[in-house]
Amino acid sequence: MERTIKPLIMEGDHNNAFLPDDIMINILKRLPVKSLIRFQCVCKHWRNLLKTPSFIADHLHHSGHQNPSLLFQWHQSKSSNYQLSLLDRNMQLLEVHNAPLIDYFSDVHIFGSSNGLLCLLLIDDDSSYRSILLWNPATREARHVPITMSDFQGVCDIGFGYSPIVDDYKIVIIYSRRDGAPFKVNQVEVYSLSTKSWKEIEFGVLEGVSVSTETVTANGSMFWFGFNVDEDDDEDIYEFDDYGSIVSFDIANEVFTLIPMPDIGFCREEILTVYENKLAVLCNKSTRSFDWVEMWVLTESASDESGERWRWIDKYYSNDFVGLSCVYPMIVWVNQIVCEPQPPFESDEDEINGEAKVVLYLSHAITNEFKKISIRRYGAGHTIYNYVESLVSIGNVKIEEIDPKF
């Protein structure tokens, strides 16, 4: 039975409030966004309070610590590859309503998750027209962001994130072309949510670098793997130095930096992720007997005598995967290293009530607690993102106000 919460402060009766504002805020910030949206109708004081930047920040901080979730994007068929679900801390899988307008596009990709906002790339049937949608699934606000080079013939690498220094969310598009060579950067544009406009920026350090599509945001910067391209003009040969560096983009200052890779050694796969709001690299290694996973965390400090500004710390090592033939790390979630076996599906014998399952292994980076979970499978493949519910606004653009034709 749903409980009814009576208003603590009635309009026009603030002097006779039952509870002080600080206690009321402490209660309200613990509630889900759906309830808070309903409570905006209680009185004018609540409506104004729930829209203040300070309350939105308090609610986000509490939600990030108490209710972080894993967001799954399920890949199905070419005609319908978009379905979302949330895995909460209680290991309950919840379906998420689709973003607006995705039915008008043949392909949908999430390129960023930051403070409850998602950045989606929408691709048309001919794979040439691209559009970006910023979306808050909790408040159901969405904003269409037209791309200035929608007919670009090449590769677009997209980043999305927030900088507390300038209090702004930004989208970065790195345009790369193939000119008889591997894709190399030839233009970069930045979109600011505060100004709602694009601008072209310099990308000097990216000369001769090919950028990966995988991106994460941590501590006010976006990060990609960078491939150093060695070019031999005489022999027309191009060689990749696999993951030669990490490309960093400072969201506040809009400056690119190349960061050296950690001394990982040989491994089967490296994954960019975030650990305690710092960039981290997960890698899996193996012998004939077992797999293990390592995590390296990036720290920044004043340059030492050698001039080095960045330092990698080997933070985590786990050999909990003994007996598993092949395990891949995917993401860090509430200090847990989330991995999956290959293939990631349970056998027919392990299916429950005929439903196909996805297996995940969680190993805690601090306590080393190890557990295996199985969740319902909605598609042939999946991508995982960290997500936290929030009241963060993207301009008060409601779903029904968006023109499907843009």
Side-chain angles (χ1 to χ4, degrees):
M1 180 177 180
E2 185 175 357
R3 297 178 60 188
T4 301
I5 300 179
K6 296 182 179 180
L8 302 177
I9 297 178
M10 297 302 293
E11 186 174 358
D13 194 25
H14 296 174
N15 294 329
N16 296 321
F18 293 105
L19 289 176
D21 269 7
D22 56 345
I23 296 179
M24 181 184 64
I25 290 173
N26 193 35
I27 295 172
L28 291 175
K29 72 180 184 181
R30 301 169 187 274
L31 300 179
V33 169
K34 184 177 180 180
S35 297
L36 294 176
I37 292 176
R38 289 170 52 204
F39 294 162
Q40 290 181 11
C41 301
V42 169
C43 63
K44 183 183 296 184
H45 181 66
W46 278 26
R47 183 171 67 250
N48 294 335
L49 169 66
L50 299 179
K51 293 182 179 180
T52 60
S54 59
F55 179 83
I56 292 174
D58 284 347
H59 180 269
L60 174 63
H61 179 78
H62 185 271
S63 182
H65 283 81
Q66 300 299 321
N67 304 301
S69 301
L70 281 180
L71 178 72
F72 287 77
Q73 179 182 2
W74 300 95
H75 308 292
Q76 301 179 43
S77 64
K78 292 184 178 179
S79 60
S80 176
N81 75 334
Y82 181 85
Q83 184 171 352
L84 297 180
S85 59
L86 285 177
L87 183 69
D88 63 21
R89 294 189 72 167
N90 297 321
M91 302 303 166
Q92 298 296 314
L93 194 65
L94 310 172
E95 291 190 35
V96 179
H97 291 292
N98 279 344
L101 309 176
I102 64 168
D103 293 338
Y104 292 89
F105 295 86
S106 61
D107 209 354
V108 179
H109 295 282
I110 297 175
F111 273 90
S113 172
S114 181
N115 294 343
L117 302 185
L118 301 181
C119 180
L120 280 64
L121 179 66
L122 312 177
I123 303 176
D124 210 349
D125 291 329
D126 60 3
S127 298
S128 61
Y129 181 81
R130 300 176 176 91
S131 179
I132 288 178
L133 193 72
L134 290 180
W135 177 44
N136 184 328
T139 64
R140 296 180 64 78
E141 289 183 352
R143 175 172 290 280
H144 168 239
V145 181
I147 296 179
T148 59
M149 298 178 63
S150 59
D151 59 347
F152 178 76
Q153 300 299 313
V155 174
C156 300
D157 296 299
I158 301 176
F160 171 68
Y162 172 76
S163 169
I165 296 176
V166 293
D167 189 23
D168 196 6
Y169 293 84
K170 295 183 181 180
I171 303 170
V172 174
I173 300 185
I174 301 175
Y175 295 97
S176 301
R177 292 186 184 275
R178 182 192 294 273
D179 185 16
F183 288 102
K184 292 191 291 185
V185 178
N186 74 332
Q187 184 171 329
V188 176
E189 291 185 334
V190 177
Y191 177 86
S192 164
L193 185 57
S194 63
T195 64
K196 298 178 176 58
S197 62
W198 289 97
K199 67 178 179 181
E200 187 175 348
I201 66 169
E202 297 294 329
F203 61 92
V205 298
L206 299 188
E207 292 283 353
V209 175
S210 183
V211 180
S212 71
T213 57
E214 179 184 4
T215 178
V216 298
T217 301
N219 197 25
S221 294
M222 304 176 194
F223 300 94
W224 298 260
F225 280 126
F227 300 84
N228 297 331
V229 181
D230 297 326
E231 180 176 342
D232 188 329
D233 292 329
D234 295 333
E235 300 182 10
D236 194 28
I237 295 176
Y238 302 88
E239 297 181 353
F240 285 104
D241 178 7
D242 289 350
Y243 294 166
S245 61
I246 290 176
V247 176
S248 170
F249 177 76
D250 186 307
I251 299 173
N253 298 315
E254 299 182 346
V255 173
F256 285 99
T257 304
L258 295 182
I259 301 172
M261 286 283 294
D263 187 15
I264 294 175
F266 175 78
C267 64
R268 287 198 299 224
E269 187 172 1
E270 297 106 340
I271 300 294
L272 290 177
T273 188
V274 178
Y275 177 75
E276 296 182 342
N277 202 31
K278 296 178 181 179
L279 177 69
V281 175
L282 292 174
C283 58
N284 67 319
K285 299 183 178 182
S286 65
T287 66
R288 293 183 178 180
S289 303
F290 65 94
D291 276 26
W292 74 91
V293 175
E294 294 180 356
M295 179 173 68
W296 296 74
V297 179
L298 181 66
T299 60
E300 182 180 5
S301 60
S303 300
D304 56 23
E305 296 179 355
S306 64
E308 289 295 330
R309 172 185 170 192
W310 309 99
R311 188 163 70 97
W312 289 96
I313 299 176
D314 192 355
K315 187 76 174 180
Y316 167 87
Y317 167 87
S318 173
N319 61 355
D320 292 323
F321 309 103
V322 175
L324 300 175
S325 59
C326 191
V327 173
Y328 285 93
M330 303 187 71
I331 201 168
V332 176
W333 177 45
V334 288
N335 290 331
Q336 297 177 106
I337 314 299
V338 181
C339 304
E340 69 174 6
Q342 293 294 323
F345 314 127
E346 292 204 9
S347 65
D348 293 338
E349 291 78 9
D350 293 327
E351 291 185 357
I352 301 176
N353 298 325
E355 291 184 350
K357 300 289 181 178
V358 169
V359 177
L360 295 177
Y361 297 103
L362 281 64
S363 180
H364 202 284
I366 299 174
T367 66
N368 289 323
E369 179 186 2
F370 180 81
K371 55 187 173 183
K372 169 187 172 182
I373 64 171
S374 297
I375 62 173
R376 179 182 176 186
R377 174 158 59 98
Y378 285 91
H382 55 274
T383 312
I384 305 179
Y385 310 88
N386 277 296
Y387 172 80
V388 58
E389 189 180 76
S390 80
L391 286 164
V392 174
S393 175
I394 50 178
N396 295 322
V397 181
K398 298 296 183 181
I399 292 176
E400 59 271 19
E401 296 175 359
I402 301 177
D403 182 1
K405 298 180 181 179
F406 301 128

